[in-house]
Amino acid sequence: MTREKLKKWCCYYLLLWLGAFICIGVTQLTGLSIRPIVELVFRLTAYFYPVSIMGYSIWNMKDEESFRNICFGIYLAVFFLITVVFILFLILPMKMERRMDCGYLQITDSSNFPDADIHFFAEPKALLFMEYFDWDVEHDIYILEYKYNTTFTVAENRGDGINRYSPFEHPEIAVRVYFRDIYGIVDDYQYQLTSNIALKYYREKGLLWEYRHVDDYEGNIGFIVKDDDNLEQYAQDLASMVAEALKDPFYKDNVGWLNIGVAENTWEMLAFGDYLPFKENGISPDFYSDDQNVLNELKKWTKKR
């Protein structure tokens, strides 16, 4: 490698470090943090850039071939040992980031290995940076609005310290967020809406089928199928509930579940709306609005008791 080319590569390397110091300065002034992916790229580049140039220079030495090969062999051995140390102590302990669909970042800290990983959440800022946050009303509303493509407002406080949110189309519902991770959130919007529609139909028609609250989510109910129930009539009513629910635009883009209790602590579900297995198998979203299809399921489920 010529001296001029070496100077050029050294200048590039100095620019890399200059950029790193500028980023550190920005974090000191703004309180932001450098994104793990940016830090990972910097560490890998800062390490492999000079050692690659060194290896290239040794390989292109103009000395005797045997001497060059000995030098290059020593270089490879040292390179291997140092790289192992570099990965073990400077790469593996790093925080790692994964991007959520809504744009937030999930940051995983594995430095306490073998203890469980610690997860944080952050908002990306100006491509290279991020700002950590604790989940609060603002972030819950943001991810709910992203998920359902509608407006949410804070619901009436029930005095239990839990935040709930009402969608614009269904202000009577108070949606609760139960869990947040890289895949998004787990909430009870669908369960509450489906249960509300089913109960409204149930009361309007004066039905007498047994139902009760299902513990997993607030406002989520299930209908109990008992041994002496008329399955044909039950199937007609359940199919009508599904048909009534499908009138709501919500189910064009979301799946609905109607809970059916067929044995002690055993629940089955009638799916409808935007249900992926239906789409994959060419089944209509309103498959269970047909009482015969519901009846077939009820007979199958009750046979297992």
Side-chain angles (χ1 to χ4, degrees):
M1 180 182 293
T2 62
R3 182 171 297 179
E4 290 74 17
K5 186 175 291 186
L6 181 60
K7 287 182 179 179
K8 182 176 70 173
W9 291 118
C10 288
C11 287
Y12 291 154
Y13 192 61
L14 290 174
L15 287 174
L16 174 69
W17 278 95
L18 177 62
F21 284 119
I22 291 174
C23 287
I24 292 172
V26 170
T27 62
Q28 295 298 316
L29 293 173
T30 62
L32 299 175
S33 301
I34 298 174
R35 290 177 57 176
I37 188 64
V38 174
E39 187 176 349
L40 176 63
V41 170
F42 170 76
R43 290 190 184 190
L44 291 174
T45 306
Y47 174 70
F48 284 106
Y49 188 94
V51 297
S52 299
I53 293 176
M54 183 181 300
Y56 177 82
S57 301
I58 294 174
W59 182 254
N60 288 278
M61 290 172 55
K62 296 182 178 179
D63 299 85
E64 293 184 5
E65 183 177 349
S66 58
F67 178 73
R68 183 199 66 181
N69 291 341
I70 292 172
C71 291
F72 193 71
I74 295 173
Y75 160 79
L76 288 178
V78 174
F79 168 74
F80 175 78
L81 293 174
I82 295 178
T83 300
V84 170
V85 173
F86 169 74
I87 292 174
L88 288 176
F89 292 96
L90 291 177
I91 298 298
L92 293 182
M94 285 187 61
K95 295 176 181 177
M96 302 302 292
E97 73 172 59
R98 296 176 67 186
R99 188 177 182 88
M100 301 171 66
D101 288 342
C102 67
Y104 290 154
L105 303 174
Q106 184 189 61
I107 311 301
T108 301
D109 185 352
S110 304
S111 60
N112 290 326
F113 181 83
D115 295 334
D117 293 343
I118 302 174
H119 299 291
F120 305 93
F121 293 91
E123 293 183 56
K125 300 287 185 180
L127 188 63
L128 302 179
F129 306 96
M130 64 181 183
E131 183 177 21
Y132 287 103
F133 68 82
D134 294 320
W135 282 99
D136 55 16
V137 169
E138 176 186 352
H139 296 97
D140 277 346
I141 288 179
Y142 173 84
I143 199 168
L144 281 167
E145 292 182 342
Y146 175 86
K147 180 177 180 178
Y148 293 111
N149 194 30
T150 189
T151 302
F152 282 80
T153 55
V154 179
E156 183 179 351
N157 191 334
R158 299 182 183 178
D160 56 6
I162 298 173
N163 295 318
R164 297 175 178 84
Y165 312 94
S166 295
F168 175 78
E169 292 83 359
H170 305 101
E172 74 282 2
I173 291 177
V175 178
R176 177 180 171 183
V177 177
Y178 294 83
F179 186 71
R180 311 161 182 87
D181 65 7
I182 184 63
Y183 303 104
I185 58 173
V186 174
D187 62 85
D188 56 18
Y189 188 1
Q190 178 278 137
Y191 295 100
Q192 290 204 49
L193 178 59
T194 302
S195 296
N196 280 7
I197 294 172
L199 275 180
K200 181 180 178 182
Y201 179 89
Y202 179 93
R203 289 163 180 161
E204 287 178 350
K205 300 299 180 181
L207 303 180
L208 298 175
W209 310 118
E210 182 181 343
Y211 71 88
R212 70 173 177 83
H213 178 258
V214 181
D215 295 335
D216 294 345
Y217 300 98
E218 291 182 357
N220 185 28
I221 66 159
F223 292 93
I224 312 298
V225 181
K226 297 186 293 186
D227 291 336
D228 56 348
D229 285 333
N230 184 320
L231 293 185
E232 286 76 10
Q233 185 58 53
Y234 215 144
Q236 290 179 18
D237 290 331
L238 292 174
S240 296
M241 291 178 189
V242 171
E244 193 66 25
L246 284 169
K247 295 177 182 178
D248 194 298
F250 174 87
Y251 298 101
K252 290 182 180 179
D253 300 310
N254 297 278
V255 65
W257 301 98
L258 198 58
N259 299 294
I260 312 298
V262 295
E264 186 68 25
N265 297 320
T266 300
W267 294 94
E268 301 289 352
M269 293 185 178
L270 295 175
F272 56 92
D274 190 31
Y275 185 45
L276 183 59
F278 279 4
K279 292 193 293 186
E280 292 177 341
N281 294 285
I283 300 174
S284 173
D286 61 353
F287 181 76
Y288 287 122
S289 64
D290 184 324
D291 59 284
Q292 186 58 50
N293 293 331
V294 177
L295 179 60
N296 293 338
E297 295 293 348
L298 291 181
K299 288 180 178 179
K300 180 176 67 176
W301 294 335
T302 54
K303 280 182 180 179
K304 298 177 182 179
R305 293 194 294 205

